[in-house]
Amino acid sequence: MLIRSLEAHGVPSLVLDRWEKAYGDELLPIQEKAIGAGVLAGESMLVTAPTSAGKTFVGEMAAIHSALSGRKVLYLVPTKSLAEARYREFSARYVALGLNISIATRDRRRRERQIGRGEFDLLIAVPEKMRALLSESPGVSRALGTVVADELQMLGDPERGSCLELLLGDLVAENPSLQIAGLSAVLADTGQVADWLGATAVSDDRRPVELRRGVLDGSAYHYRRHSDDAEGVEQWPELARGPADPGERMAQVATHLAESEGSVLVFLRDRRTTLQMARAIAKTADLPAADDLVQELTELEQTRATRLLAELAASGVGFHNADLSFGERDVIERAFAHAELSVLTCTSTLAMGVNLPARNVIIDSCRWTGGESQGRPSLGAITRADFDNMAGRAGRLGWADEIGRAVLIADGEVRRHVLASTYLQGEFPRLKPRIAEQTPLQQICLLAGSATARRPDGITRAYHRTLSAHESGLPPDMLPSDLRDAVDLATSHGLLRETAEGGWRPTGIGRLCGTAGLTPRSFLRLLKAARSADGQCPDELEALLIAALTDEPQQIPLPPGGWSDAFDCDLDDPTGSMEDQWEAQRLLSTVGQLAAGSAAARRRERAVRIALAVNHWRGWRPTAEVENATRIPAGRLATLAEAVGWALQVLAKIGRELAWPRVQWEALMSLGDSTCAGVPEEGLALAGLHVPGLGRGQILRLLDAGITSRDALADGSPETLERLLGPKLAARALAVACDLPLKPGEDCSVMPQHSSRGGRVATPAGSAARRLIVEQSRPDRIILDDQPVSLRPAEFKLLRTLALQPQTCIDYEAIYQSMWGGETFVEPAQIYSHRSRLASKLEEVAPDGRELLRTIPTRGLMLDLPPEDVSLA
């Protein structure tokens, strides 16, 4: 079935053009099935298919068709990074068509009021943030026409599944006519989930590229084919003899596959092992150097990670884990996707939603769990679902034309049979709802944040909207007994109050608890601290300490002394600064004396270390200095700061509920924003632009140069911006400041000589009349005010396109088509470059210096001349 045939379903031709550019001419089998089941007719469906089978495009089709039909769309994704990627992708593809696309994550707060008023066509959000928004603006759920839930198998995630379950239950119950498009990996028995959502189950287990999943034992790779489940064996004689150490054996296998076929992803059990494995492979493998990546890494803010990545990239190897900053992860992902890197070692988080395929994938079947505040970590086996998700990175359409391989490594026949029966022959897991696995108090707190909880008997109603209740079979007016007991506990903490009808409703504090995204213990810690403050906000360091005592930052592992044992410590003085020691003593005294070595004492000492570390992180010191002072890598510092900053924001909201003075809780909210962003409060405006690759180091340089706002950035000198940020990032930052769209992975490289964020501006009264003559026979120049202006061919095409409709905004898509026709690979930066050069040439001739080319934010460009002053020949 051709994508072009979807015009019969009411999809506009301009949209089909974009889909064909992105996905090719033909639909994949699961996409055809979804069309046949009515995804473009508003039908709800649960789409299950293997990774790489084309589920994501089903969601995109449903979302865009609904949005263009005038129905508001919510597109749910499980992670912030995936939300950012979808937002950039959809903005670049559809804003020019007039769609208002928004994003809602924890650190995207600028448009919350507009979202609460329903001022969007398509909203991309993570479930936790969406629940919080709906608690403040419940009417939004009734305004939605379509909800796309990507990675719906996250319903079974032990930590985050409950939030998604509650959100979907509310959305379906509040809006019976809502279309649901759930996209999930292959699971067993999805009928119960489809019935709960009021959806039709649509599935297909075909993949466009064959995948072999197997176990390597000695030199024999025993595999099963995805297409027909047939068994086979490949012989790899080079691997007949291998080291006894499992890590060294995995490095040997990765080296062999990379040298013979290239493109190997190695999924490992923890962050530390990714670096160790990358170093081991780099020492022995004969792979081409990633010279372009090395150059890109030198242009980033220098950290320990950039130095290590550059060292490994010289050998064609990289690593990817949570200790890397956004900019570092971005350049590594692009280098691997473009085949600059031959091997990438990573943790399993890379498999969730990141489109990073490989020819071969090697998977460690074990993973560490627990640790830090949860006790000593333990090593356990990955699940079948985890294995399939990681294995699906191998052999993806448009990347590997023949086959992909997923490889487990055994050390004998018995182990091979165990791995094969667990991961190759075992049944797909059943999607298991997670609310019932939470503690009763956790369940009550989550239910308190539901949209229906404010109504009489709201807690009971909210519970019966869940998948867990759907499967329990309880009468609709009954709570499980353990939840009824937890209601009393929640009421004693002021989270619930009894209604006249004999049910329970959440208080304002209770609703906040239900949508805060914190554990009940964390929230109650913050509530206790706020109530004991007697209406006074704690000072900054004490507030950081209170936030650092919550469960969320406590669960993030801290390196024992240096980054990890794999890093060489190059500091002579491990004691840190005297100022930090004094502050540590003050903070320790704040939380009181505890028995040495006790769990409470360890939690207190960790909290002090975290509070001091994130206080450095939100300050003015360069990142490398903060790393050295705290002995924590930049990526992990950012993760800690985000957890602490979010707890601070929750504490501020608690203060607001407790009627603290407005100036105090607003100051605490600002401290939380600053901590999350990792910059001083003066840098929040720049951080809020969310320029891809603009990290704290670059923001600090801009602040030092006096550039503190969007307007200051848009009006900045190109030479200054290039000096501060480098040419690529400077062009990207300026494009964002001027509201120009960026495509995912866009590599802006040409700086404009001048920029403008203004919209349409009328010709000033009394200005000199001018005449523009554009002759098709002379594409090398135009005439402006009787003066010839030499132009390049692309500049002439751009000006003629705008001159056809002067004083009218021409959208970017129309400009693309006019200048390049049907070419596939055209970036907005090319228009940006030609527009800047053309504007500069026209301004040199214009007698009053007024700009003739205008950028209309997020829409397009305009020639600001009256039609009577423009002549086309």
Side-chain angles (χ1 to χ4, degrees), residues 315-521:
S315 300
V317 180
F319 69 94
H320 186 292
N321 60 40
D323 280 344
L324 303 184
S325 68
F326 173 87
E328 291 159 354
R329 291 196 299 268
D330 180 58
V331 297
I332 290 296
E333 289 169 12
R334 284 192 283 109
F336 187 76
H338 296 159
E340 289 183 64
L341 285 176
S342 301
V343 180
L344 184 61
T345 64
C346 55
T347 50
S348 59
T349 52
L350 185 66
M352 179 57 69
V354 178
N355 187 18
L356 203 63
R359 176 65 182 271
N360 294 293
V361 171
I362 302 173
I363 301 171
D364 185 347
S365 62
C366 296
R367 178 189 296 169
W368 289 104
T369 59
E372 302 304 329
S373 64
Q374 303 177 42
R376 293 180 62 84
S378 59
L379 196 61
I382 63 175
T383 66
R384 169 69 189 269
D386 289 334
F387 172 77
D388 285 332
N389 202 19
M390 291 183 274
R393 302 296 117 185
R396 307 195 76 184
L397 182 63
W399 209 94
D401 294 329
E402 299 175 359
I403 62 168
R405 298 187 194 88
V407 182
L408 295 161
I409 301 175
D411 54 2
E413 187 175 356
V414 173
R415 180 62 176 162
R416 172 165 63 85
H417 281 293
V418 170
L419 291 173
S421 62
T422 303
Y423 299 111
L424 309 185
Q425 303 164 17
E427 294 293 327
F428 285 106
R430 180 177 178 274
L431 199 154
K432 184 179 180 182
R434 295 294 183 173
I435 284 185
E437 296 182 0
Q438 306 286 340
T439 66
L441 180 59
Q442 175 81 50
Q443 294 181 58
I444 291 297
C445 289
L446 286 168
L447 292 170
S450 292
T452 191
R454 302 184 188 189
R455 300 172 187 171
D457 208 16
I459 295 297
T460 304
R461 286 171 175 256
Y463 172 74
H464 280 280
R465 290 181 171 187
T466 67
L467 176 59
S468 301
H470 185 76
E471 295 187 349
S472 72
L474 281 175
D477 60 346
M478 182 179 294
L479 279 177
S481 59
D482 57 347
L483 294 194
R484 292 198 299 272
D485 294 338
V487 163
D488 295 334
L489 180 58
T491 302
S492 70
H493 285 293
L495 305 180
L496 301 179
R497 61 180 176 84
E498 193 168 0
T499 65
E501 295 83 0
W504 301 273
R505 286 182 182 173
T507 63
I509 290 289
R511 288 196 302 274
L512 179 57
C513 178
T515 58
L518 302 176
T519 65
R521 183 168 68 169

Side-chain angles (χ1 to χ4, degrees), residues 198-217:
T200 301
V202 178
S203 64
D204 195 288
D205 64 357
R206 286 172 286 182
R207 282 175 52 101
V209 176
E210 181 58 74
L211 173 63
R212 295 177 179 177
R213 284 179 275 226
V215 184
L216 176 66
D217 181 12

Side-chain angles (χ1 to χ4, degrees), residues 110-148:
R110 190 164 64 95
R111 298 198 70 246
E112 283 185 6
R113 289 187 178 180
Q114 293 93 321
I115 292 171
R117 294 194 297 264
E119 295 179 13
F120 63 86
D121 297 316
L122 192 157
L123 174 63
I124 300 161
V126 295
E128 293 82 358
K129 183 65 176 182
M130 197 62 209
R131 283 197 83 219
L133 287 172
L134 290 179
S135 178
E136 298 287 336
S137 306
V140 172
S141 62
R142 293 186 289 275
L144 295 172
T146 296
V147 172
V148 178

